[in-house]
Amino acid sequence: MDSENWQKVEELLNAALEIEPKERRKFLAEIGAEDLRREVESLLDGESEAEKFLASPVVAFSADFFDDDDAPDALINQTIGNYKIVGELGRGGMGAVYLGQRIDGKFAQNVAVKLLKRELNTADIRRRFARERQILAALAHPNIARLLDAGTTADGLPYLVMEYVEGVPIDEFCDIQSLDLNERLELFRTVCEAVAFAHRNLIVHRDLKPSNILVNIGGAPKLLDFGISKLLTPEFEAESAHTVTKLGAMTPEYASPEQLRGESVTTATDVYSLGAVLYELLTAQRPFELKTRSVEAIIRAVCETEPAPPSAVISDFGFRISDFRMPDSDTNRTKLSQLRTNPKSQISNPRSLRGDLDNIVLKALKKEPNRRYSSVEQFSEDIRRHLSDLPVTARPDTLRYRAAKFINRNRIAVFAALLIFLSLVGGVVATVWQARRAEANQARAEKRFADVRGLSNALLNEIAPKIERLEGSTEARRALVAQSLKYLDSLAVESADDLVLQAELAAAYEKVGVLQADPRKASLSDYRGSLASLEKAQAVRRRLLENNPQKAENRRLLADNLRLLAVRRISLNDTEAGFRDGREALSIYEKLAAENPGSLEPQRAFLAMQVEEAASYAELTRFKEAVPLLRQAAGKLEELRRTNSDDAETERILANCLSYLGFSLSWESRQPEAEAEMTRAVEITESLAARHPNDANFRQDLWRIYQMASGIYEEVDDARAFELCDKARRIGEEAVALDLANAQARHNLAKTFSRLGTFASNLGKPDKALVYLERTAAILSGLQARDPLSRAYDLDSGSLHKRIGDAKYNKKDLAGALESYEKSRASIEKRIEHDPSDTTAMRNLAFVYSAIGLVHSDYLKTAAGQIRQINLEAAKENYRRALDTLLKTESLNALTEFDRKNLEEVRNAIEKLEKTS
């Protein structure tokens, strides 16, 4: 066909593609030239095959599909872009995928080159090719096959250059490696992470199936083929809409009901397909085994019938029911023999699937998208919870179910608690039995009242301290708090006229409040509950004070209560109320000190409160307000120390004051003053620890001071910072060795290793830095696994991944650095979503955005073409995000002098990028 006629065919074909299939017949009948009409009809017949080509993985092509009139080696040894074609990986009726080798001399690399047939180079197919290129360019993830290059051949054919993945489909890998149930679930969760990453980039895959998930020899899965993926952005909605209705562009066995019905797809579509993949990994059978390929039968099977629970698909011996419909046949006897030789090739016990996994898989496979998991992350999280023996969201949250899960996780602790409980019950039963023998009702009531009072005291004063530091005790502490509050609320009703009991009640509520939340040690992190308990105590304290306003003890105890409340309100970012309570406490302490000028305790309490208020300003990055308060307190503490030279507590408060003063001065760029004050803090704390070697509190103080001191030398004198931090490490390791059950000590050690990683990276030792950071990750992972209900470790994750990214960046591992920075960003953004007023998190997020922008800027040095443009836009976008975040922090009066320098650097980076073409 000559070029003029071919141009007419292309114009007619593009017009036909814009028309609904049922209207095309009339359009074709109106084409006058019969040869043109036949050519257009033949190309329309091949349209669905073209989409299959775009959507198919490299491993799906076969030489069986070679056309006789095509020479399979036509492009062998030819050059496309920077790549030499060395062989064919596969070919279909619409095009081929070739194995290529990079030839520009930079490094050796095998690639897969995707190329359409010349006669299919129409405007519509080119648009779809461009869409796949744009989708793949946005996906930089270790478990997604990367787009390496793209372009057009010398004769005008578009091509894609993809990462060449050597591996096998995930279901085959599981069988070849004989993975057990937990190993299959962990591998599947890695796939979920890759799909979730695509969703965060507004991309729906729409064709998830085992053959599109290859696992390499190292066991790492790779997600392939975004040929029919959908971008969830307005400009791509119309262009991608036509693929949803065509069975040729999807795999029916894994397609969702809404895909088959031609409805709009969302991320819930991929949740469904992942559910189908997991079903097959668990049962070696698909949710719907389709006997025919007719459209009606496929839609009826997927949209109208319910899949059997996975546990019902395998027998008690782990074999598929469908494999043994004829138990006496020779074929089945052979199957039975083969499976027995490899017992791990399938899930061997249906009971392991029954319950949680049945519900998880069936929830993902719900017909209605809104009844499935709301995200892939939620799907994966339910699997993690199942693996950790935690309640899953796919099952009704009944008391019996949660209790069974808790008992499975904590068999020893539950047994011990049961013994305690039985002892308490026995005591209560004996008490009741004795009370019933009493003749007077009043005597019985008094006895019961005394028992409840005694039980409350036992819970708070004897049991609570014993389990406070026990790892994995979050749920036990939560139950303890709930029981204690139940008893205390009962006592509050019955003790209104008993002043002695009212004082005990207030003290008990305060102990419960500290158990519920304490920003300075392990707790339940229930700050709202803690506020409620402390406010109950405060109401009692104020009533006692009204009853006897001259009693100094009543005023001191109210001030102590206000101090506890102030710290927790500030932790909840209710700074106005926090400082209000703190100022009231400070006023009470000041009056008590003035009334007792010769007494040490009220003077010390007043100064300790002043330091605590100033420290709160420092922790909120309000250093200008913190510095004068800390200087004033330090001067008064020095005077108190001179007149009470043997008082260790005064020295301890002074060291705390000086450490926060040094910390604040450093952030205000007053480094010489900062170093001088911090040196004094270190010397005092070292002296206290040496004089009191058996006091764990002084050792904890020394660890904290070393940590703070190392921080002020970061990027100023990293060798000194490393030296101080290494001292903190030795203290942390000693604390862990002395008490293996001390989760707080291990958390402290994790923080220290994280800092050591930063300092090693700054000293140009990225390999050593990664060793320290991996130690941090291992400790945090262990803590989270042993106490999954605790939220105490969440905030460390963002900081850790940022530091890992820095170390990888220093090793010139840009891809690894970008991956770690993205993890840090996700963690910090989640924190801010939970608490939008957290200015510390905002500042950290700005640093992470800047780091991501820097990586993309570095990519610009070597990238070209479309890839360079993508990195340029990504660099600009992340620097702009950093700028916006810093300006928001500034509007909240939380920007430090250091941050202002960073602000200028970000502005300069944006200005430079704007000039880059």
Side-chain angles (χ1 to χ4, degrees), residues 159-173:
Y159 65 86
L160 301 179
V161 181
M162 305 290 299
E163 174 185 1
Y164 176 57
V165 180
E166 292 187 272
V168 297
I170 187 170
D171 54 339
E172 294 180 26
F173 179 83

Side-chain angles (χ1 to χ4, degrees), residues 451-585:
D451 287 341
V452 173
R453 181 176 177 179
L455 183 56
S456 294
N457 285 329
L459 287 171
L460 293 171
N461 297 322
E462 296 176 25
I463 299 175
K466 288 181 172 63
I467 68 170
E468 186 178 51
R469 294 193 307 171
L470 185 65
E471 64 184 28
S473 65
T474 298
E475 196 149 342
R477 281 182 282 147
R478 189 168 290 159
L480 178 66
V481 164
Q483 274 312 309
S484 298
L485 285 172
K486 178 181 176 181
Y487 290 128
L488 293 175
D489 290 343
S490 173
L491 286 173
V493 174
E494 300 182 32
S495 63
D497 299 326
D498 187 333
L499 295 181
V500 174
L501 183 57
Q502 285 279 296
E504 288 183 24
L505 189 65
Y509 273 127
E510 285 162 351
K511 286 181 181 178
V512 170
V514 172
L515 278 174
Q516 288 170 298
D518 190 337
R520 291 178 174 84
K521 64 179 181 180
S523 70
L524 296 175
S525 296
D526 178 13
Y527 284 90
R528 300 291 177 192
S530 178
L531 282 179
S533 297
L534 291 170
E535 284 170 348
K536 288 178 183 178
Q538 185 186 120
V540 175
R541 295 287 183 208
R542 292 193 185 279
R543 282 198 300 271
L544 293 172
L545 186 58
E546 288 173 6
N547 188 69
N548 189 353
Q550 300 307 315
K551 188 175 181 180
E553 181 70 2
N554 285 347
R555 287 187 285 157
R556 183 188 67 79
L557 290 171
L558 175 60
D560 290 346
N561 175 276
L562 289 164
R563 178 177 57 83
L564 292 172
L565 274 168
V567 171
R568 282 148 186 81
R569 292 194 202 280
I570 290 172
S571 295
L572 283 169
N573 287 294
D574 187 0
T575 53
E576 183 178 346
F579 283 119
R580 180 199 64 211
D581 285 347
R583 283 190 289 272
E584 185 180 357

Side-chain angles (χ1 to χ4, degrees), residues 621 667 714-715 798-799 802-803 805-806 821-822 824-825 828 832 839-855 878-879 881-883 885-886 889 894-903 905-906:
T621 69
W667 277 101
E714 184 175 350
E715 297 183 357
S799 174
K802 169 65 166 60
R803 288 170 173 168
D806 291 342
Y821 289 146
E822 287 290 350
S824 176
R825 175 195 58 75
I828 299 172
I832 293 174
T839 55
T840 301
M842 288 181 199
R843 293 174 54 254
N844 291 345
L845 183 60
F847 287 126
V848 174
Y849 283 145
S850 294
I852 295 173
L854 180 61
V855 172
N878 280 283
Y879 275 122
R881 288 176 178 175
L883 179 62
T885 306
L886 287 169
T889 310
L895 207 64
T896 67
E897 288 301 315
F898 182 85
D899 294 329
R900 294 186 190 283
K901 292 179 182 178
N902 187 37
L903 183 63
E905 291 174 1
V906 168

